[in-house]
Structures are given as structure tokens and as C-alpha cells.
Amino acid sequence: MTTMQPTTQETISQLEKARKLALGDSAYYPQIVPGVLPIIGPAAAVDLRRWGADFLAETFSSPAVSADAKQNMSLQVVHMLRQYLETTGEDSAVVKGVVQTATSIYPLVFKHTISNAADSQTWQTMATIKSNILRRMEKEPSGVKLCCIKFIQRVVQVQTPGQVADPRRPDQNEISLAIVPSDHPLISPSTLEAEAFGLLDRLLGVFQESTSDALIVTATVNSIGVLARTRASISNKILNAILTFNPFQFVGSTITPRIKVNAKSMEKTIRAFLFNFAKRMPNHPFAGRIQGYLDRLQQQRLEFLDPNSRKRAAPAEPTDGLDQNKRQKLGADVSNTSTQFQVPPLPPGPVSVAQLFTLTHEESRKSFDVQAIPVELVSRIVVPLLASIDPTQLNNAIAAIRTRLQDLTKPSPISAAQAAQVATGQALQPSTSAQATEQLYNQLENAPSERLALASQSGISLGPFIIPQPPPLTPSELAEYGNGAIARVFENFTGLEEVASKAARSSFTHRAAGNQDRDSWVTVVSRLATRSLAGLDGEETSLIKHEKLSSVSLAHMIRDAMHLYIIGDFRKRIDVAVSWLNEEWYNDMIQTKTTGGSAYGMTPVYDRSVLKLIDALVPYLDAKDNKVLIRFLSEIPAVNRDILERIKRLARDPERVPLAVTTIQYVDLEEHEMKDHADTVDSYLVLFRPPAREMCIDALEDLYQNYADTRAATTKLLQKWRPNVLQASTADPRALKAGGSGSPSLVKSPVPA
């Protein structure tokens, strides 16, 4: 039974599924490309060849595929690309995809040939592909020509020397002629560089031709932009060619829409290229020429492409008549709309209601008696009159009446002489002579204070100006502003250095925050978090409640920021953690002492802070951090069983067993026994914190019984302090006694002042 061959469309649908799989995960490309090559060979249908050429171009241009995978796949497809190009009458779409693929794999094959000088066949195949593409530059359609321009640009970029970032790592450098050894058997640097200069002249020749295609010019400018920025040896040559090119030289007297679009396209592309080049390299020797060329280009654009801009703009004529400068000469009586509405001033003295609402200058209108008009007639003509009134004039009239009312209701100012008469108890006179005024001023100097107060109440002074209180901030605004302030404070920590000498800080006369260094700021911020509620324990008014809520929120935000700051670099900032935790412990003790009762001695905030910090540090501790952990546990003011439980968890990791045992062992010895253990980094907590000895020995016993890796390290101390545990385990290894456990109890140590 013969099997039916799948049709071309069915094959393409199956290939599309494989393509979508590779697009979803780039790791499938090295498996899919070798399987696709036999299906899309030169003997396949034209639709399959088109699909295959597009797929290969897409594969080697994808940034998701690694460079090593592309280089391995390029060695597999280079021979098929040569077969495509050598096929007579090949479809232009296939040729276009092949040229794009060759553009992507040329640097990869070049790099492979540098490392594998024995593989001459691959390099010869790539050279044949290059020659074939260069021959197609003149006779192929526009789409293929554009791909050939990009291929030539890539060849020039590879075959010219580039910058070497690190000579010790040639695999990380840019692929260029600079990484080719001078004695390479297959690649001659001088020959390839000469070829690159010839290809560059071929590219730049489009700017010297008498008739140029706008599409080719635009593609060339877009391609050589990379060469001008990355290849200093040919940058000046490229700029000279572009600066001597005029995109409007082919525009004749008759400007058709096609010519206009082509000229605009070339001008826009060249202007964008030169502008970006000058922006990236402002100190380039051609910077002045580029700016002058851009100015001329802008002028030519206005001259050739926008003929209307060459005409002089029409004069701005007035819309309401003749110009103001010509009215006096011509004698024209033209009304000005801006000065049509004029409000006459009110007469002096008392003002009647009729005078208040009169806004006309004509006496005939003022003397007209409105009451002579019948009411029925008035009711019929009022509505049409109101509808015909200009809204602007109506608003101006209303504003004028409002201004008049404000002026009438404003109290008249009192002169200094009248104020002196009030202060001295004399009646106000309509006029006062200069001599009488001088006498009033002399009496005012001797007037009692009651009369002066009366004079101040008579309207002379404006009185004090009090700014109203701003509205209270909402909780969200308080949190936002608080977070911003705290973030700015902690940003300054990074620029502050520790005080070099710590001797002055250890004295009793040293102030906690007397300098502008990091430790001073840590003290200030820590006390803001721990002591911000001090003094708010009086009567529970609404203001005090608001202050308490704000202080608690601010304290939590400071604690969170301090925690994140310490975790950022805990090995260098362990002293910051110790200072902060000492403040927390001291505040808890003072608070519980103030409240009294059974809560005295409890440190809830300190417990939460230290446990949260240890939980964040434990995942990042390694075997080399024993000094950091020992210093931290020795300098914090209190150690409890919860802290030791966190330290015991380090023993779950075999690599960190010595860290856990060393830290706990350093708790268990007396101070005078340090000489016996001077050669080890053990027993810190026992050595310097005898109150924590029992808890630490319980922890060592638990490690001995539950973690086999710790028994060798814990046997020495258990033999001294708990020999019964060793005897019990020796007698019955299967019945190990459970380690001492109990409710977490706080063990305190003195805090240095």
C-alpha cells in the first residue's frame, strides 16, 4: 500500500507549528533547524523555499538565540545558502531571505574561521556567497538591493578594525579585523581591509551619481550610521560623502508629488543621521560642518518643498475698521469695540438709587420717565431686549454696578488730624488750620493710653493679620510624607563615613549625636523610632491621640527602613544593628518600668525586631561569617531561647554546622577560662555572657542529640558541663535524652552607657 505524500500546504502548516514552538522557547532552535533543512532544500517547492528562507532569516536575527547556538547552526546552513544562490532563476523572495541570512551569519563564520584555521571549506563557501551577492547588487529588484546594501555594511564592519575591549578575553570582544592574528593561514587582514574599503566606496558612490534613487539613498544612510559611530578609520570618509550630497539637487522646476516625497524622505533621513551623530559625539572635528549643513538643509527644504513660505505674510489688518495709526490722517470715524463701554463716575455727595444704576452719558436718556410706558408694553418688550443684549456688555455693566456698591459701602478714611481730635476728646471739625493741627499733635503726645486705644479702634489701623490654620493631614498623607522624609535620611547614610577614631566615642563625656557622621544619624533615627511617644501619656485629648497615632506610624516606618538598610550590607553595618537594638531594648525597659505591674522586664518590640533581623540574616550567612555572628550576639543587650533556636537551625546545613556550634559554644565559659581556649573561636556567648550559659548548654545538648554532624564539636563542652548526657548516650545510643526546653525567657546583660 502506497502512502500519500503530504501537500505543500500541509507541510507548511506542520512547519509553522515547529516555528511557533521555537518562538515560544528559543532552546528548540538547535533541534528544529537541522530537521527543517532537508524539507526546504533547493529541490523543494517554491512555497517551501520561501518559507525556509524567511525562517532562517528570522532564526539568525532573533536576539533570544545565544551566540554559540547561532554559530553552530550557521555551519549547517551555509552550504544550503550557496545552493540557493547558485540555482538559476531563483525566486526573488527566496533570494531576499538568503541575503538576510547571509548578513547575519557572516560574522559568525568569520569568527569560526579565526578559531578553526583548518576548516577552509566553510570559509571558501562563505566567500562564494559573498561574491554572488555582490554580483546581484545591480540587477536584482529593489527589495533584494536593500538586503544587499545591509550585507555590504556588515562585511565592511567585520573586515575593518574595531575596538578591543579586553585583549585577555577575545571571545567577549566585537567581531572585527582586530581579533585576526597577523599570521592566519586563511584570512589575510590587509586583503580583507582593502576589500572593505572598496565595498565602502561602492556604497558611498550613490551620493556622487547624477541620478539617485531615494529608496537606495535612504537605505544606504540608515546602514552606514553604525559604521560612522563604531569605525573611526572610515568615519571621516562617510561624513565627507554625506556632507557633499544635496538631496534637492534633482528637484527641477516642476515638482511632482513623487519628487516631493522622495526629496522629503532623503532630507529627513540625512537630517536624523547627522543630528544623532552630533548628539552622540559633540566634540567630533566635523561638529561645526554638520551644524552648518543642517542649517542649509533646513533653508533648502523651505525653498524647494514649501513655495508658500517664500511669500511675505499678509499684514495684520484690524477687524473693526482702519488701522489706529491711519485714522487721524484719513479722518475716518471708526468706533473701537474695546472702548465702547465706559462707566461715568458717580457725582460727589449722597447717591440715589437712580444715580447708582445709571450708566449712560446722554442727558436725554437720564431725563426719560420710564413710568410713562404702560406696564403691558414693558412686559412685552423686556424679554426681546434682554435676548438681544451682548453678554459681554451685560457682564461689564453688572461689574460696574458691583464696583460702585463696594465703593459706597467702604468706610471713608480718617485723616491724622481727625484721629488726633478723637484721641484728645475734641469734636471733629470740618476744617482745621495748621496751627490747630500742631496743637492737637502736642496734646496727643500727652494723651492717656485709654484715648490712644480709642483712636486705634476708630478705624485707623488694619489690625493683626492671622493666617488660618491648614487642614489636618490624612493618614495616607502622613504615611507618604513620612516615608519620603525617612528615605531621604537613609539616602544620606551612604555618603557618610564612620568616624575613624572610636576612642573619643567610648568616653563618658562623649555626646550620642555630636557629629555629622553616620553613627550620629543612626542614634538620632533610632531614638526617633523608640522614643517618639515620650511625653504623650497625659490626658487623652484628641490632639494627643492624633500625635500618638502619627508617632507610632512613624516609628514603624523608621524600623522598617532601618531593617532594610542593615540587610543591604549586614557585614559592614552590624554596628548599626547593635546600636539600634540597644535603643529598642532600653526603650522597652523604660516603658515597662513606667507602667509597672507584672509586665516589668518584658521587651516586646526588641524581641520582634531582633528576631526579624536574625531571620533575614540567617539565609545569607556562610561558614566565614562566624566573627560577624559572634559579634552581633555578644553586643545585643539580651539573648533568649528564640534567638538560640534560630542559631540552631544553621546546623541543618552541613556546611554551616561549625558556624552554629562555634557561636553557641562561645557562650558557655567563664572569663578566666579564656586562656584554655585561646586557639579556637569558640564559646563566645558562654565566655562573655554567663547569664545565658544554661540556655546555651541546653542548645548544645539539643544539637548533640539531634544533629550527628555536631557531636564531635559539642562533646568537649558537654563533657565539662553536662557529663551525664554523654554517659547516657554512651550507655544507650538509641535513647538519647531530649534537649532542655522551656518557655522563652529573656536573659539580659548590662548595656554600656
Side-chain angles (χ1 to χ4, degrees), residues 650-662 707 709-710 713:
L650 295 172
R652 297 176 181 176
D653 185 0
E655 296 182 356
R656 298 194 293 181
V657 167
L659 176 63
V661 176
T662 299
Y707 300 93
D709 296 337
T710 64

Side-chain angles (χ1 to χ4, degrees), residues 310 349 409 688:
R310 289 177 288 172
T409 57
F688 289 104

Side-chain angles (χ1 to χ4, degrees), residues 142-445:
S142 298
V144 179
K145 285 184 179 179
L146 300 183
C147 297
C148 293
I149 290 174
K150 183 62 180 176
F151 177 78
I152 294 176
Q153 177 263 328
R154 184 60 59 85
V155 172
V156 173
Q157 185 178 4
V158 172
Q159 295 183 183
T160 50
Q163 294 182 355
V164 178
D166 190 354
R168 299 169 298 179
R169 304 183 64 184
D171 55 327
Q172 301 293 332
N173 295 324
E174 181 186 5
I175 301 176
S176 67
L177 201 65
I179 63 175
V180 180
S182 58
D183 56 347
H184 198 278
L186 297 179
I187 300 177
S188 174
S190 58
T191 304
L192 291 184
E193 189 173 7
E195 182 186 11
F197 277 95
L199 294 177
L200 179 62
D201 293 336
R202 185 174 180 180
L203 271 183
L204 300 180
V206 70
F207 300 112
Q208 282 82 29
E209 296 179 0
S210 58
T211 57
S212 296
D213 186 2
L215 193 64
I216 302 300
V217 172
T218 304
T220 303
V221 174
N222 289 331
S223 298
I224 62 180
V226 179
L227 299 177
R229 291 193 305 268
T230 60
R231 296 292 182 266
S233 58
I234 59 178
S235 175
N236 295 343
K237 187 175 185 179
I238 294 173
L239 292 176
N240 278 322
I242 293 180
L243 293 177
T244 56
F245 177 71
N246 183 10
F248 303 112
Q249 62 183 343
F250 311 109
V251 180
S253 58
T254 303
I255 303 178
T256 62
R258 179 183 179 85
I259 294 176
K260 191 173 183 179
V261 170
N262 291 341
K264 278 187 176 181
S265 176
M266 291 188 292
E267 183 269 338
K268 184 178 180 181
T269 305
I270 294 175
R271 177 160 44 86
F273 163 71
L274 293 177
F275 179 79
N276 292 328
F277 183 85
K279 185 178 180 181
R280 287 174 177 266
M281 306 179 70
N283 299 325
H284 196 272
F286 280 63
R289 291 185 57 187
I290 291 174
Q291 186 60 41
Y293 181 83
L294 291 175
D295 296 339
R296 292 194 302 272
L297 204 62
Q298 180 69 15
Q299 183 179 0
Q300 292 173 355
R301 181 179 184 275
L302 295 176
E303 182 179 353
F304 288 98
L305 300 180
D306 195 3
N308 295 328
S309 64
R310 289 177 288 172
K311 296 182 179 180
R312 187 174 57 186
E317 294 291 345
T319 58
D320 58 347
L322 299 177
D323 191 4
Q324 294 285 350
N325 297 328
K326 299 179 181 179
R327 286 177 182 171
Q328 187 174 3
K329 294 182 180 180
L330 299 177
D333 186 11
V334 182
S335 60
N336 192 354
T337 56
S338 61
T339 61
Q340 283 184 359
F341 187 82
Q342 296 181 357
V343 180
L346 290 174
V351 179
S352 63
V353 177
Q355 292 174 340
L356 176 64
F357 287 93
T358 299
L359 300 176
T360 180
H361 295 274
E362 299 181 9
E363 295 296 333
S364 59
R365 295 182 182 180
K366 293 180 181 180
S367 60
F368 179 75
D369 188 6
V370 184
Q371 296 180 358
I373 304 175
V375 179
E376 295 80 5
L377 181 60
V378 172
S379 63
R380 287 199 305 268
I381 66 176
V382 165
V383 176
L385 285 175
L386 291 176
S388 63
I389 295 176
D390 185 10
T392 304
Q393 293 185 356
L394 180 61
N395 293 332
N396 292 337
I398 295 173
I401 299 300
R402 183 185 297 111
T403 304
R404 285 182 172 183
L405 287 173
Q406 292 175 355
D407 294 340
L408 291 175
T409 57
K410 184 184 300 182
S412 59
I414 301 177
S415 63
Q418 294 174 344
Q421 290 178 358
V422 172
T424 56
Q426 301 180 12
L428 293 175
Q429 300 295 332
S431 62
T432 306
S433 62
Q435 184 178 2
T437 303
E438 185 68 24
Q439 293 177 359
L440 288 175
Y441 287 160
N442 294 333
Q443 295 177 8
L444 183 62
E445 294 179 358

Side-chain angles (χ1 to χ4, degrees), residues 608-629:
R608 289 195 303 269
S609 302
V610 70
L611 292 178
K612 181 180 179 181
L613 187 59
I614 291 178
D615 289 338
L617 294 179
V618 163
Y620 301 101
L621 293 174
D622 54 23
K624 299 179 182 179
D625 292 328
N626 55 347
K627 294 183 179 180
V628 176
L629 186 58

Side-chain angles (χ1 to χ4, degrees), residues 557-687:
M557 289 187 290
I558 293 176
R559 290 187 178 101
D560 294 340
M562 183 73 75
H563 176 82
L564 295 177
Y565 173 74
I566 295 170
I567 294 303
D569 192 357
F570 68 92
R571 293 179 178 87
K572 294 182 180 179
R573 300 169 182 169
I574 202 68
D575 55 338
V576 177
V578 172
S579 177
W580 168 45
L581 293 176
N582 274 279
E583 293 290 343
E584 293 286 359
W585 178 86
Y586 176 76
N587 179 66
D588 285 346
M589 296 298 293
I590 295 300
Q591 292 294 330
T592 54
K593 182 178 180 180
T594 304
T595 56
S598 59
Y600 177 70
M602 302 302 293
T603 55
V605 179
Y606 167 79
D607 292 344
R608 289 195 303 269
S609 302
V610 70
L611 292 178
K612 181 180 179 181
L613 187 59
I614 291 178
D615 289 338
L617 294 179
V618 163
Y620 301 101
L621 293 174
D622 54 23
K624 299 179 182 179
D625 292 328
N626 55 347
K627 294 183 179 180
V628 176
L629 186 58
I630 289 173
R631 178 188 174 187
F632 176 73
L633 292 178
S634 65
E635 295 186 3
I636 58 176
V639 178
N640 55 29
R641 294 188 182 275
D642 292 335
I643 296 176
L644 294 178
E645 286 295 329
R646 267 69 171 180
I647 304 303
K648 286 195 299 184
R649 293 175 188 173
L650 295 172
R652 297 176 181 176
D653 185 0
E655 296 182 356
R656 298 194 293 181
V657 167
L659 176 63
V661 176
T662 299
T663 304
I664 298 176
Q665 280 183 350
Y666 225 95
V667 188
D668 202 31
L669 299 177
E670 295 291 346
E671 223 176 273
H672 59 80
E673 296 178 351
M674 187 174 180
K675 296 180 181 179
D676 300 335
H677 299 270
D679 56 341
T680 64
V681 197
D682 299 344
S683 14
Y684 188 89
L685 292 178
V686 177
L687 181 62

Side-chain angles (χ1 to χ4, degrees), residues 387-583:
S388 63
I389 295 176
D390 185 10
T392 304
Q393 293 185 356
L394 180 61
N395 293 332
N396 292 337
I398 295 173
I401 299 300
R402 183 185 297 111
T403 304
R404 285 182 172 183
L405 287 173
Q406 292 175 355
D407 294 340
L408 291 175
T409 57
K410 184 184 300 182
S412 59
I414 301 177
S415 63
Q418 294 174 344
Q421 290 178 358
V422 172
T424 56
Q426 301 180 12
L428 293 175
Q429 300 295 332
S431 62
T432 306
S433 62
Q435 184 178 2
T437 303
E438 185 68 24
Q439 293 177 359
L440 288 175
Y441 287 160
N442 294 333
Q443 295 177 8
L444 183 62
E445 294 179 358
N446 301 323
S449 59
E450 293 80 1
R451 292 185 179 181
L452 292 177
L454 177 62
S456 64
Q457 295 175 2
S458 60
I460 298 177
S461 62
L462 297 176
F465 178 73
I466 301 175
I467 300 177
Q469 293 293 332
L473 297 176
T474 61
S476 59
E477 292 176 343
L478 285 173
E480 180 182 358
Y481 297 151
N483 281 327
I486 295 169
R488 290 192 296 271
V489 170
F490 278 92
E491 285 177 0
N492 294 332
F493 282 8
T494 58
L496 298 175
E497 299 180 355
E498 298 184 45
V499 180
S501 176
K502 296 186 178 180
R505 289 185 292 172
S506 61
S507 62
F508 290 101
T509 60
H510 174 70
R511 290 181 295 176
N515 301 320
Q516 291 293 331
D517 55 356
R518 190 194 66 174
D519 292 345
S520 298
W521 277 104
V522 167
T523 303
V524 172
V525 173
S526 301
R527 293 185 179 180
L528 280 177
T530 57
R531 308 184 190 184
S532 57
L533 293 178
L536 299 180
D537 296 329
E539 184 181 354
E540 289 289 337
T541 62
S542 59
L543 179 60
I544 290 179
K545 291 181 180 179
H546 179 73
E547 292 292 338
K548 278 192 173 183
L549 293 176
S550 303
S551 300
V552 171
S553 177
L554 178 64
H556 291 333
M557 289 187 290
I558 293 176
R559 290 187 178 101
D560 294 340
M562 183 73 75
H563 176 82
L564 295 177
Y565 173 74
I566 295 170
I567 294 303
D569 192 357
F570 68 92
R571 293 179 178 87
K572 294 182 180 179
R573 300 169 182 169
I574 202 68
D575 55 338
V576 177
V578 172
S579 177
W580 168 45
L581 293 176
N582 274 279
E583 293 290 343

